[in-house]
Amino acid sequence: MQCPIQTNLADLHGRLAATHRGELASYIPELANADPRWFGICLVTMDGVAYSVGDTDPMFTMQSISKPFVYATALADRGQQFVTGKVGVEPSGDAFNSISLDPQTGAPLNPMINAGAIATTSLVAGETTEAQWRRIESSIAAFVGRDVVVDEAVYRSESETGFRNRAIAWMLKNFGVIDGEPMATLENYFRQCSILISCRDLAYMAATLANGGVHPLTGKCALPAEHVERVLSVMATCGMYDYAGSWLYEVGMPAKSGVSGGIIAVVPGRFGIGLFSPPLDEKGNSVRGIAACKRLSRDLGLHIFTRTAIPAMALGRVYTGTAAPSRRQPPAEIRAYLNEHARRIKYLCLHGFLAIDGVEYVIRRMREMASDTHSFILDMHEAIGISDSAARLLNQARLGFVEDGIAVVCSRIRDRRAILGPLSKAARKGDRGFLVFEDNDLAVEWCENRLVRELPQASATQGSLADSALFRGVPLALLRQVEAVTRSHLYAQGEQILSHGQEGDGRVFFIESGHVSILMPLQNGAHQRVASLGPGMEFGEMALLGQTTRSASVYADTEVRCRILEAGDLGRISDSAPLLKIAVLENLASDMAGRLRGANQWIAALA
Ligand code: DON
């Protein structure tokens, strides 16, 4: 089954390919060599999937599409204040090559018209114009996702005929907008306009802007998020020059066109679009490109003023620590306390890109639950990112809840920078920010420990064979016999006690003091914790059923003292006291049944 988006694009392409209106740009002679039949459409998702139809691979020069990316580079290098001091952000309503300068300051009205673009080219970092060129080249390469080259023929063609731009450059020098040698800057401008890209490249460049400045395939940050909004703003108001108003009204996407027939359009957080068709309308925009964007915006609902995310969609399942307790098996009295109080641990599954409205909704729900909550676990497994302002709001809420004695922690963020970055930025000086746990099991155990600390400190920190569930119901005298054949061993914190796959080991370990973690190796080399055990608990008990190959690894989380029993020794005592073996095997069976129930509960909670 072909993806419906691909089918839509193919239909649209078929319909518009038949239109033959518009003229090739010829004021740059080399551009007149383009094939007017060329027509490509490419749409890229935030995870880098490309839907493309038509001529999406032929290379052509960026021309004015280079402008928003060089503007982005100048913002990243010199900061917003400095750049807007040199180049305005007001739509001129004039054609791209109009000399629209502020009458007082001489500053170009915006960075999308040639005057503003030439000034912007002079602002990127670099002691020399050669160094500035290398900066422009590497920055654009980050947006494209590979190294770029210049079409020397088009570059020469424009450099030899760009008289109007030369006049503009001297005007800018005259007004002190350009500090350095204006003609050298202009050559860099002509070169950036002559960078070769394809329609597919344009779509990935647009998708990088839509994805908060991160290239959806390379994962490379081409532009810090705080500058993305600025670039998209000038694209929305100035990107289509004296057609910008109608464009925003009818199409509603920040966009930028070029006289070689390329157009990029950005749907923040959703898509990047690249179009290519050389024949231009009287305003210098691709005829088929404009028409295709209008249809795409209407058919796919891409207008940025269309209501998209419903705040409530930010919050998915809400369940409690009773439904999904940690995988440790605490002593009975602690388990009893947790069975009663774990409902005060609330899991909140957050979804999608968390913007201020979604987080506002989540916080409102948390406040509604607060009276009966001891800890909130924000499960970020389904979240893809969070805006800086939303992260600040969430952190403010966390600090508020902490004041009320309620903890708010995060889990399952993994290494998603789009979440970790804003959250760590939101933490003020001296505020350690959100505690982040690798998975829900570790998060809920931390919350359980917080709850258990409410208990009067009766909980046993010292365990013995008698506390082990394996020896429930075994007479004390028999237990003494067993104890006599055991030996005690002290393991240092972090020491590996058993390793997964270890052979021929019949030992059973009874924890007298300290805590251990049972870990299962995962395919990716990481480990998943399956249980955490403390005093009065045992591990390696499968050896009693003759299974001597270890099915998991065991590490000492703290200094651990264990009493070690060889399965063979228990067998020997049982020869003369069969009741012992029966009791131990019965206890083992009911313990395994308990674990199965626990695992089913988890699966149900995660389903
Ligand atoms: O400076 C010029 O005139 C060309 N290098 C770029 C102009 C352009 O692409 C205008 N866009 N519609």
mmCIF file with all atom_site columns, all heavy atoms in Angstrom, residues 27-28 62-65 67 96 114 158 165 189-190 193 241 256-260 283-285, ligand 1:
data_model
loop_
_atom_site.group_PDB
_atom_site.id
_atom_site.type_symbol
_atom_site.label_atom_id
_atom_site.label_alt_id
_atom_site.label_comp_id
_atom_site.label_asym_id
_atom_site.label_entity_id
_atom_site.label_seq_id
_atom_site.pdbx_PDB_ins_code
_atom_site.Cartn_x
_atom_site.Cartn_y
_atom_site.Cartn_z
_atom_site.occupancy
_atom_site.B_iso_or_equiv
_atom_site.pdbx_formal_charge
_atom_site.auth_seq_id
_atom_site.auth_comp_id
_atom_site.auth_asym_id
_atom_site.auth_atom_id
_atom_site.pdbx_PDB_model_num
ATOM   1   N N   . TYR A 1 27  ? 18.267 37.500 -15.825 1.00 0.00 ? 27  TYR A N   1
ATOM   2   C CA  . TYR A 1 27  ? 19.138 38.636 -15.515 1.00 0.00 ? 27  TYR A CA  1
ATOM   3   C C   . TYR A 1 27  ? 20.482 38.127 -15.015 1.00 0.00 ? 27  TYR A C   1
ATOM   4   O O   . TYR A 1 27  ? 21.481 38.826 -15.039 1.00 0.00 ? 27  TYR A O   1
ATOM   5   C CB  . TYR A 1 27  ? 18.462 39.594 -14.524 1.00 0.00 ? 27  TYR A CB  1
ATOM   6   C CG  . TYR A 1 27  ? 18.402 39.108 -13.107 1.00 0.00 ? 27  TYR A CG  1
ATOM   7   C CD1 . TYR A 1 27  ? 19.328 39.522 -12.166 1.00 0.00 ? 27  TYR A CD1 1
ATOM   8   C CD2 . TYR A 1 27  ? 17.400 38.209 -12.710 1.00 0.00 ? 27  TYR A CD2 1
ATOM   9   C CE1 . TYR A 1 27  ? 19.267 39.070 -10.872 1.00 0.00 ? 27  TYR A CE1 1
ATOM   10  C CE2 . TYR A 1 27  ? 17.342 37.740 -11.421 1.00 0.00 ? 27  TYR A CE2 1
ATOM   11  C CZ  . TYR A 1 27  ? 18.284 38.195 -10.504 1.00 0.00 ? 27  TYR A CZ  1
ATOM   12  O OH  . TYR A 1 27  ? 18.222 37.739 -9.212  1.00 0.00 ? 27  TYR A OH  1
ATOM   13  N N   . ILE A 1 28  ? 20.494 36.876 -14.533 1.00 0.00 ? 28  ILE A N   1
ATOM   14  C CA  . ILE A 1 28  ? 21.750 36.151 -14.325 1.00 0.00 ? 28  ILE A CA  1
ATOM   15  C C   . ILE A 1 28  ? 21.807 35.160 -15.484 1.00 0.00 ? 28  ILE A C   1
ATOM   16  O O   . ILE A 1 28  ? 21.087 34.148 -15.481 1.00 0.00 ? 28  ILE A O   1
ATOM   17  C CB  . ILE A 1 28  ? 21.765 35.419 -12.975 1.00 0.00 ? 28  ILE A CB  1
ATOM   18  C CG1 . ILE A 1 28  ? 21.571 36.400 -11.809 1.00 0.00 ? 28  ILE A CG1 1
ATOM   19  C CG2 . ILE A 1 28  ? 23.059 34.622 -12.810 1.00 0.00 ? 28  ILE A CG2 1
ATOM   20  C CD1 . ILE A 1 28  ? 21.353 35.740 -10.466 1.00 0.00 ? 28  ILE A CD1 1
ATOM   21  N N   . MET A 1 62  ? 21.072 27.807 -5.050  1.00 0.00 ? 62  MET A N   1
ATOM   22  C CA  . MET A 1 62  ? 20.134 28.244 -4.000  1.00 0.00 ? 62  MET A CA  1
ATOM   23  C C   . MET A 1 62  ? 19.548 29.629 -4.254  1.00 0.00 ? 62  MET A C   1
ATOM   24  O O   . MET A 1 62  ? 18.394 29.885 -3.899  1.00 0.00 ? 62  MET A O   1
ATOM   25  C CB  . MET A 1 62  ? 20.861 28.310 -2.642  1.00 0.00 ? 62  MET A CB  1
ATOM   26  C CG  . MET A 1 62  ? 21.251 27.012 -2.039  1.00 0.00 ? 62  MET A CG  1
ATOM   27  S SD  . MET A 1 62  ? 21.958 27.244 -0.392  1.00 0.00 ? 62  MET A SD  1
ATOM   28  C CE  . MET A 1 62  ? 20.423 27.431 0.559   1.00 0.00 ? 62  MET A CE  1
ATOM   29  N N   . GLN A 1 63  ? 20.338 30.517 -4.777  1.00 0.00 ? 63  GLN A N   1
ATOM   30  C CA  . GLN A 1 63  ? 19.956 31.938 -4.913  1.00 0.00 ? 63  GLN A CA  1
ATOM   31  C C   . GLN A 1 63  ? 19.419 32.480 -3.580  1.00 0.00 ? 63  GLN A C   1
ATOM   32  O O   . GLN A 1 63  ? 20.026 32.225 -2.554  1.00 0.00 ? 63  GLN A O   1
ATOM   33  C CB  . GLN A 1 63  ? 18.958 32.072 -6.055  1.00 0.00 ? 63  GLN A CB  1
ATOM   34  C CG  . GLN A 1 63  ? 19.541 31.692 -7.404  1.00 0.00 ? 63  GLN A CG  1
ATOM   35  C CD  . GLN A 1 63  ? 20.823 32.493 -7.747  1.00 0.00 ? 63  GLN A CD  1
ATOM   36  O OE1 . GLN A 1 63  ? 20.941 33.665 -7.388  1.00 0.00 ? 63  GLN A OE1 1
ATOM   37  N NE2 . GLN A 1 63  ? 21.785 31.829 -8.370  1.00 0.00 ? 63  GLN A NE2 1
ATOM   38  N N   . SER A 1 64  ? 18.265 33.142 -3.558  1.00 0.00 ? 64  SER A N   1
ATOM   39  C CA  . SER A 1 64  ? 17.820 33.802 -2.323  1.00 0.00 ? 64  SER A CA  1
ATOM   40  C C   . SER A 1 64  ? 17.460 32.843 -1.195  1.00 0.00 ? 64  SER A C   1
ATOM   41  O O   . SER A 1 64  ? 17.321 33.254 -0.041  1.00 0.00 ? 64  SER A O   1
ATOM   42  C CB  . SER A 1 64  ? 16.617 34.692 -2.619  1.00 0.00 ? 64  SER A CB  1
ATOM   43  O OG  . SER A 1 64  ? 17.045 35.856 -3.280  1.00 0.00 ? 64  SER A OG  1
ATOM   44  N N   . ILE A 1 65  ? 17.354 31.558 -1.507  1.00 0.00 ? 65  ILE A N   1
ATOM   45  C CA  . ILE A 1 65  ? 17.040 30.610 -0.424  1.00 0.00 ? 65  ILE A CA  1
ATOM   46  C C   . ILE A 1 65  ? 18.217 30.537 0.544   1.00 0.00 ? 65  ILE A C   1
ATOM   47  O O   . ILE A 1 65  ? 18.089 30.127 1.693   1.00 0.00 ? 65  ILE A O   1
ATOM   48  C CB  . ILE A 1 65  ? 16.675 29.232 -1.003  1.00 0.00 ? 65  ILE A CB  1
ATOM   49  C CG1 . ILE A 1 65  ? 15.398 29.336 -1.837  1.00 0.00 ? 65  ILE A CG1 1
ATOM   50  C CG2 . ILE A 1 65  ? 16.486 28.200 0.087   1.00 0.00 ? 65  ILE A CG2 1
ATOM   51  C CD1 . ILE A 1 65  ? 15.009 28.055 -2.559  1.00 0.00 ? 65  ILE A CD1 1
ATOM   52  N N   . LYS A 1 67  ? 19.499 33.067 1.862   1.00 0.00 ? 67  LYS A N   1
ATOM   53  C CA  . LYS A 1 67  ? 19.414 34.212 2.779   1.00 0.00 ? 67  LYS A CA  1
ATOM   54  C C   . LYS A 1 67  ? 18.994 33.839 4.213   1.00 0.00 ? 67  LYS A C   1
ATOM   55  O O   . LYS A 1 67  ? 19.668 34.223 5.180   1.00 0.00 ? 67  LYS A O   1
ATOM   56  C CB  . LYS A 1 67  ? 18.476 35.279 2.216   1.00 0.00 ? 67  LYS A CB  1
ATOM   57  C CG  . LYS A 1 67  ? 18.962 35.919 0.911   1.00 0.00 ? 67  LYS A CG  1
ATOM   58  C CD  . LYS A 1 67  ? 17.912 36.814 0.296   1.00 0.00 ? 67  LYS A CD  1
ATOM   59  C CE  . LYS A 1 67  ? 18.400 37.500 -0.973  1.00 0.00 ? 67  LYS A CE  1
ATOM   60  N NZ  . LYS A 1 67  ? 17.311 38.253 -1.672  1.00 0.00 ? 67  LYS A NZ  1
ATOM   61  N N   . PHE A 1 96  ? 12.501 41.976 -4.414  1.00 0.00 ? 96  PHE A N   1
ATOM   62  C CA  . PHE A 1 96  ? 13.706 41.478 -3.732  1.00 0.00 ? 96  PHE A CA  1
ATOM   63  C C   . PHE A 1 96  ? 14.931 42.344 -3.969  1.00 0.00 ? 96  PHE A C   1
ATOM   64  O O   . PHE A 1 96  ? 15.813 42.436 -3.117  1.00 0.00 ? 96  PHE A O   1
ATOM   65  C CB  . PHE A 1 96  ? 13.983 40.032 -4.129  1.00 0.00 ? 96  PHE A CB  1
ATOM   66  C CG  . PHE A 1 96  ? 14.409 39.839 -5.557  1.00 0.00 ? 96  PHE A CG  1
ATOM   67  C CD1 . PHE A 1 96  ? 15.723 39.973 -5.925  1.00 0.00 ? 96  PHE A CD1 1
ATOM   68  C CD2 . PHE A 1 96  ? 13.474 39.511 -6.540  1.00 0.00 ? 96  PHE A CD2 1
ATOM   69  C CE1 . PHE A 1 96  ? 16.121 39.777 -7.247  1.00 0.00 ? 96  PHE A CE1 1
ATOM   70  C CE2 . PHE A 1 96  ? 13.869 39.316 -7.847  1.00 0.00 ? 96  PHE A CE2 1
ATOM   71  C CZ  . PHE A 1 96  ? 15.187 39.449 -8.197  1.00 0.00 ? 96  PHE A CZ  1
ATOM   72  N N   . ASN A 1 114 ? 17.659 41.759 -1.026  1.00 0.00 ? 114 ASN A N   1
ATOM   73  C CA  . ASN A 1 114 ? 19.103 41.692 -1.347  1.00 0.00 ? 114 ASN A CA  1
ATOM   74  C C   . ASN A 1 114 ? 19.950 42.601 -0.443  1.00 0.00 ? 114 ASN A C   1
ATOM   75  O O   . ASN A 1 114 ? 20.995 42.198 0.066   1.00 0.00 ? 114 ASN A O   1
ATOM   76  C CB  . ASN A 1 114 ? 19.327 42.075 -2.806  1.00 0.00 ? 114 ASN A CB  1
ATOM   77  C CG  . ASN A 1 114 ? 18.897 40.953 -3.732  1.00 0.00 ? 114 ASN A CG  1
ATOM   78  O OD1 . ASN A 1 114 ? 18.234 40.004 -3.288  1.00 0.00 ? 114 ASN A OD1 1
ATOM   79  N ND2 . ASN A 1 114 ? 19.235 41.065 -5.009  1.00 0.00 ? 114 ASN A ND2 1
ATOM   80  N N   . GLU A 1 158 ? 26.807 35.702 -12.303 1.00 0.00 ? 158 GLU A N   1
ATOM   81  C CA  . GLU A 1 158 ? 26.202 36.759 -11.487 1.00 0.00 ? 158 GLU A CA  1
ATOM   82  C C   . GLU A 1 158 ? 27.215 37.822 -11.139 1.00 0.00 ? 158 GLU A C   1
ATOM   83  O O   . GLU A 1 158 ? 26.938 39.024 -11.204 1.00 0.00 ? 158 GLU A O   1
ATOM   84  C CB  . GLU A 1 158 ? 25.598 36.181 -10.203 1.00 0.00 ? 158 GLU A CB  1
ATOM   85  C CG  . GLU A 1 158 ? 25.057 37.292 -9.287  1.00 0.00 ? 158 GLU A CG  1
ATOM   86  C CD  . GLU A 1 158 ? 23.947 36.870 -8.363  1.00 0.00 ? 158 GLU A CD  1
ATOM   87  O OE1 . GLU A 1 158 ? 23.910 35.672 -8.045  1.00 0.00 ? 158 GLU A OE1 1
ATOM   88  O OE2 . GLU A 1 158 ? 23.135 37.725 -8.002  1.00 0.00 ? 158 GLU A OE2 1
ATOM   89  N N   . ASN A 1 165 ? 23.411 44.865 -7.448  1.00 0.00 ? 165 ASN A N   1
ATOM   90  C CA  . ASN A 1 165 ? 23.872 44.444 -6.116  1.00 0.00 ? 165 ASN A CA  1
ATOM   91  C C   . ASN A 1 165 ? 25.150 45.184 -5.727  1.00 0.00 ? 165 ASN A C   1
ATOM   92  O O   . ASN A 1 165 ? 25.370 45.494 -4.552  1.00 0.00 ? 165 ASN A O   1
ATOM   93  C CB  . ASN A 1 165 ? 24.095 42.927 -6.090  1.00 0.00 ? 165 ASN A CB  1
ATOM   94  C CG  . ASN A 1 165 ? 22.771 42.164 -5.997  1.00 0.00 ? 165 ASN A CG  1
ATOM   95  O OD1 . ASN A 1 165 ? 21.795 42.677 -5.441  1.00 0.00 ? 165 ASN A OD1 1
ATOM   96  N ND2 . ASN A 1 165 ? 22.749 40.951 -6.515  1.00 0.00 ? 165 ASN A ND2 1
ATOM   97  N N   . TYR A 1 189 ? 28.467 36.873 -1.065  1.00 0.00 ? 189 TYR A N   1
ATOM   98  C CA  . TYR A 1 189 ? 27.014 36.801 -1.279  1.00 0.00 ? 189 TYR A CA  1
ATOM   99  C C   . TYR A 1 189 ? 26.715 36.073 -2.592  1.00 0.00 ? 189 TYR A C   1
ATOM   100 O O   . TYR A 1 189 ? 25.868 35.175 -2.646  1.00 0.00 ? 189 TYR A O   1
ATOM   101 C CB  . TYR A 1 189 ? 26.410 38.214 -1.307  1.00 0.00 ? 189 TYR A CB  1
ATOM   102 C CG  . TYR A 1 189 ? 24.987 38.244 -1.781  1.00 0.00 ? 189 TYR A CG  1
ATOM   103 C CD1 . TYR A 1 189 ? 23.936 37.839 -0.958  1.00 0.00 ? 189 TYR A CD1 1
ATOM   104 C CD2 . TYR A 1 189 ? 24.675 38.625 -3.101  1.00 0.00 ? 189 TYR A CD2 1
ATOM   105 C CE1 . TYR A 1 189 ? 22.621 37.818 -1.427  1.00 0.00 ? 189 TYR A CE1 1
ATOM   106 C CE2 . TYR A 1 189 ? 23.371 38.621 -3.568  1.00 0.00 ? 189 TYR A CE2 1
ATOM   107 C CZ  . TYR A 1 189 ? 22.350 38.222 -2.726  1.00 0.00 ? 189 TYR A CZ  1
ATOM   108 O OH  . TYR A 1 189 ? 21.055 38.198 -3.213  1.00 0.00 ? 189 TYR A OH  1
ATOM   109 N N   . PHE A 1 190 ? 27.450 36.448 -3.667  1.00 0.00 ? 190 PHE A N   1
ATOM   110 C CA  . PHE A 1 190 ? 27.227 35.773 -4.959  1.00 0.00 ? 190 PHE A CA  1
ATOM   111 C C   . PHE A 1 190 ? 27.535 34.277 -4.827  1.00 0.00 ? 190 PHE A C   1
ATOM   112 O O   . PHE A 1 190 ? 26.837 33.426 -5.382  1.00 0.00 ? 190 PHE A O   1
ATOM   113 C CB  . PHE A 1 190 ? 28.114 36.396 -6.037  1.00 0.00 ? 190 PHE A CB  1
ATOM   114 C CG  . PHE A 1 190 ? 27.708 37.801 -6.456  1.00 0.00 ? 190 PHE A CG  1
ATOM   115 C CD1 . PHE A 1 190 ? 28.674 38.722 -6.866  1.00 0.00 ? 190 PHE A CD1 1
ATOM   116 C CD2 . PHE A 1 190 ? 26.379 38.200 -6.433  1.00 0.00 ? 190 PHE A CD2 1
ATOM   117 C CE1 . PHE A 1 190 ? 28.304 40.005 -7.254  1.00 0.00 ? 190 PHE A CE1 1
ATOM   118 C CE2 . PHE A 1 190 ? 26.004 39.480 -6.825  1.00 0.00 ? 190 PHE A CE2 1
ATOM   119 C CZ  . PHE A 1 190 ? 26.970 40.387 -7.234  1.00 0.00 ? 190 PHE A CZ  1
ATOM   120 N N   . CYS A 1 193 ? 24.764 32.421 -3.065  1.00 0.00 ? 193 CYS A N   1
ATOM   121 C CA  . CYS A 1 193 ? 23.616 32.250 -3.960  1.00 0.00 ? 193 CYS A CA  1
ATOM   122 C C   . CYS A 1 193 ? 23.878 31.146 -4.988  1.00 0.00 ? 193 CYS A C   1
ATOM   123 O O   . CYS A 1 193 ? 22.942 30.577 -5.551  1.00 0.00 ? 193 CYS A O   1
ATOM   124 C CB  . CYS A 1 193 ? 23.322 33.564 -4.684  1.00 0.00 ? 193 CYS A CB  1
ATOM   125 S SG  . CYS A 1 193 ? 22.618 34.821 -3.608  1.00 0.00 ? 193 CYS A SG  1
ATOM   126 N N   . TYR A 1 241 ? 8.806  38.356 -0.207  1.00 0.00 ? 241 TYR A N   1
ATOM   127 C CA  . TYR A 1 241 ? 8.851  39.759 -0.663  1.00 0.00 ? 241 TYR A CA  1
ATOM   128 C C   . TYR A 1 241 ? 7.463  40.395 -0.762  1.00 0.00 ? 241 TYR A C   1
ATOM   129 O O   . TYR A 1 241 ? 6.646  40.274 0.133   1.00 0.00 ? 241 TYR A O   1
ATOM   130 C CB  . TYR A 1 241 ? 9.530  39.838 -2.024  1.00 0.00 ? 241 TYR A CB  1
ATOM   131 C CG  . TYR A 1 241 ? 10.817 39.092 -2.094  1.00 0.00 ? 241 TYR A CG  1
ATOM   132 C CD1 . TYR A 1 241 ? 10.996 38.029 -2.977  1.00 0.00 ? 241 TYR A CD1 1
ATOM   133 C CD2 . TYR A 1 241 ? 11.865 39.411 -1.263  1.00 0.00 ? 241 TYR A CD2 1
ATOM   134 C CE1 . TYR A 1 241 ? 12.197 37.333 -3.041  1.00 0.00 ? 241 TYR A CE1 1
ATOM   135 C CE2 . TYR A 1 241 ? 13.073 38.716 -1.315  1.00 0.00 ? 241 TYR A CE2 1
ATOM   136 C CZ  . TYR A 1 241 ? 13.222 37.684 -2.207  1.00 0.00 ? 241 TYR A CZ  1
ATOM   137 O OH  . TYR A 1 241 ? 14.384 36.988 -2.265  1.00 0.00 ? 241 TYR A OH  1
ATOM   138 N N   . LYS A 1 256 ? 10.695 30.629 1.759   1.00 0.00 ? 256 LYS A N   1
ATOM   139 C CA  . LYS A 1 256 ? 11.676 31.450 1.051   1.00 0.00 ? 256 LYS A CA  1
ATOM   140 C C   . LYS A 1 256 ? 11.806 30.922 -0.365  1.00 0.00 ? 256 LYS A C   1
ATOM   141 O O   . LYS A 1 256 ? 11.871 29.702 -0.571  1.00 0.00 ? 256 LYS A O   1
ATOM   142 C CB  . LYS A 1 256 ? 13.042 31.401 1.730   1.00 0.00 ? 256 LYS A CB  1
ATOM   143 C CG  . LYS A 1 256 ? 14.010 32.363 1.094   1.00 0.00 ? 256 LYS A CG  1
ATOM   144 C CD  . LYS A 1 256 ? 13.676 33.811 1.485   1.00 0.00 ? 256 LYS A CD  1
ATOM   145 C CE  . LYS A 1 256 ? 14.155 34.802 0.453   1.00 0.00 ? 256 LYS A CE  1
ATOM   146 N NZ  . LYS A 1 256 ? 13.227 34.929 -0.682  1.00 0.00 ? 256 LYS A NZ  1
ATOM   147 N N   . SER A 1 257 ? 11.802 31.865 -1.330  1.00 0.00 ? 257 SER A N   1
ATOM   148 C CA  . SER A 1 257 ? 11.920 31.453 -2.738  1.00 0.00 ? 257 SER A CA  1
ATOM   149 C C   . SER A 1 257 ? 13.246 31.934 -3.295  1.00 0.00 ? 257 SER A C   1
ATOM   150 O O   . SER A 1 257 ? 13.910 32.810 -2.719  1.00 0.00 ? 257 SER A O   1
ATOM   151 C CB  . SER A 1 257 ? 10.796 32.128 -3.540  1.00 0.00 ? 257 SER A CB  1
ATOM   152 O OG  . SER A 1 257 ? 10.989 33.551 -3.440  1.00 0.00 ? 257 SER A OG  1
ATOM   153 N N   . GLY A 1 258 ? 13.639 31.374 -4.447  1.00 0.00 ? 258 GLY A N   1
ATOM   154 C CA  . GLY A 1 258 ? 14.867 31.800 -5.125  1.00 0.00 ? 258 GLY A CA  1
ATOM   155 C C   . GLY A 1 258 ? 14.628 31.875 -6.619  1.00 0.00 ? 258 GLY A C   1
ATOM   156 O O   . GLY A 1 258 ? 13.771 31.138 -7.151  1.00 0.00 ? 258 GLY A O   1
ATOM   157 N N   . VAL A 1 259 ? 15.399 32.733 -7.308  1.00 0.00 ? 259 VAL A N   1
ATOM   158 C CA  . VAL A 1 259 ? 15.130 32.942 -8.746  1.00 0.00 ? 259 VAL A CA  1
ATOM   159 C C   . VAL A 1 259 ? 15.536 31.758 -9.610  1.00 0.00 ? 259 VAL A C   1
ATOM   160 O O   . VAL A 1 259 ? 15.260 31.743 -10.811 1.00 0.00 ? 259 VAL A O   1
ATOM   161 C CB  . VAL A 1 259 ? 15.831 34.229 -9.273  1.00 0.00 ? 259 VAL A CB  1
ATOM   162 C CG1 . VAL A 1 259 ? 15.076 35.457 -8.836  1.00 0.00 ? 259 VAL A CG1 1
ATOM   163 C CG2 . VAL A 1 259 ? 17.295 34.259 -8.904  1.00 0.00 ? 259 VAL A CG2 1
ATOM   164 N N   . SER A 1 260 ? 16.132 30.745 -9.041  1.00 0.00 ? 260 SER A N   1
ATOM   165 C CA  . SER A 1 260 ? 16.420 29.540 -9.846  1.00 0.00 ? 260 SER A CA  1
ATOM   166 C C   . SER A 1 260 ? 15.211 28.603 -9.812  1.00 0.00 ? 260 SER A C   1
ATOM   167 O O   . SER A 1 260 ? 15.230 27.535 -10.398 1.00 0.00 ? 260 SER A O   1
ATOM   168 C CB  . SER A 1 260 ? 17.650 28.824 -9.276  1.00 0.00 ? 260 SER A CB  1
ATOM   169 O OG  . SER A 1 260 ? 17.474 28.694 -7.884  1.00 0.00 ? 260 SER A OG  1
ATOM   170 N N   . LYS A 1 283 ? 6.787  38.198 -9.808  1.00 0.00 ? 283 LYS A N   1
ATOM   171 C CA  . LYS A 1 283 ? 7.430  38.599 -8.547  1.00 0.00 ? 283 LYS A CA  1
ATOM   172 C C   . LYS A 1 283 ? 8.714  37.814 -8.304  1.00 0.00 ? 283 LYS A C   1
ATOM   173 O O   . LYS A 1 283 ? 9.362  37.951 -7.268  1.00 0.00 ? 283 LYS A O   1
ATOM   174 C CB  . LYS A 1 283 ? 6.462  38.415 -7.379  1.00 0.00 ? 283 LYS A CB  1
ATOM   175 C CG  . LYS A 1 283 ? 5.242  39.334 -7.450  1.00 0.00 ? 283 LYS A CG  1
ATOM   176 C CD  . LYS A 1 283 ? 4.427  39.222 -6.185  1.00 0.00 ? 283 LYS A CD  1
ATOM   177 C CE  . LYS A 1 283 ? 3.127  40.026 -6.285  1.00 0.00 ? 283 LYS A CE  1
ATOM   178 N NZ  . LYS A 1 283 ? 3.325  41.478 -6.415  1.00 0.00 ? 283 LYS A NZ  1
ATOM   179 N N   . GLY A 1 284 ? 9.040  36.912 -9.257  1.00 0.00 ? 284 GLY A N   1
ATOM   180 C CA  . GLY A 1 284 ? 10.288 36.158 -9.119  1.00 0.00 ? 284 GLY A CA  1
ATOM   181 C C   . GLY A 1 284 ? 10.126 34.877 -8.322  1.00 0.00 ? 284 GLY A C   1
ATOM   182 O O   . GLY A 1 284 ? 11.092 34.330 -7.805  1.00 0.00 ? 284 GLY A O   1
ATOM   183 N N   . ASN A 1 285 ? 8.860  34.415 -8.165  1.00 0.00 ? 285 ASN A N   1
ATOM   184 C CA  . ASN A 1 285 ? 8.624  33.161 -7.444  1.00 0.00 ? 285 ASN A CA  1
ATOM   185 C C   . ASN A 1 285 ? 8.194  32.065 -8.418  1.00 0.00 ? 285 ASN A C   1
ATOM   186 O O   . ASN A 1 285 ? 7.450  32.329 -9.363  1.00 0.00 ? 285 ASN A O   1
ATOM   187 C CB  . ASN A 1 285 ? 7.529  33.353 -6.387  1.00 0.00 ? 285 ASN A CB  1
ATOM   188 C CG  . ASN A 1 285 ? 7.911  34.401 -5.351  1.00 0.00 ? 285 ASN A CG  1
ATOM   189 O OD1 . ASN A 1 285 ? 9.045  34.432 -4.885  1.00 0.00 ? 285 ASN A OD1 1
ATOM   190 N ND2 . ASN A 1 285 ? 6.965  35.281 -5.037  1.00 0.00 ? 285 ASN A ND2 1
HETATM 191 O O1  . DON B 2 .   ? 20.924 38.638 -5.764  1.00 0.00 ? 1   DON B O1  1
HETATM 192 C C1  . DON B 2 .   ? 20.222 38.181 -6.640  1.00 0.00 ? 1   DON B C1  1
HETATM 193 O O2  . DON B 2 .   ? 19.583 38.877 -7.366  1.00 0.00 ? 1   DON B O2  1
HETATM 194 C C2  . DON B 2 .   ? 20.153 36.698 -6.745  1.00 0.00 ? 1   DON B C2  1
HETATM 195 N N1  . DON B 2 .   ? 21.383 36.103 -6.411  1.00 0.00 ? 1   DON B N1  1
HETATM 196 C C3  . DON B 2 .   ? 19.114 36.140 -5.789  1.00 0.00 ? 1   DON B C3  1
HETATM 197 C C4  . DON B 2 .   ? 17.781 36.735 -5.987  1.00 0.00 ? 1   DON B C4  1
HETATM 198 C C5  . DON B 2 .   ? 16.653 35.803 -5.685  1.00 0.00 ? 1   DON B C5  1
HETATM 199 O O3  . DON B 2 .   ? 16.806 34.626 -5.620  1.00 0.00 ? 1   DON B O3  1
HETATM 200 C C6  . DON B 2 .   ? 15.324 36.420 -5.479  1.00 0.00 ? 1   DON B C6  1
HETATM 201 N N2  . DON B 2 .   ? 14.335 35.478 -5.095  1.00 0.00 ? 1   DON B N2  1
HETATM 202 N N3  . DON B 2 .   ? 13.216 35.318 -5.446  1.00 0.00 ? 1   DON B N3  1
#
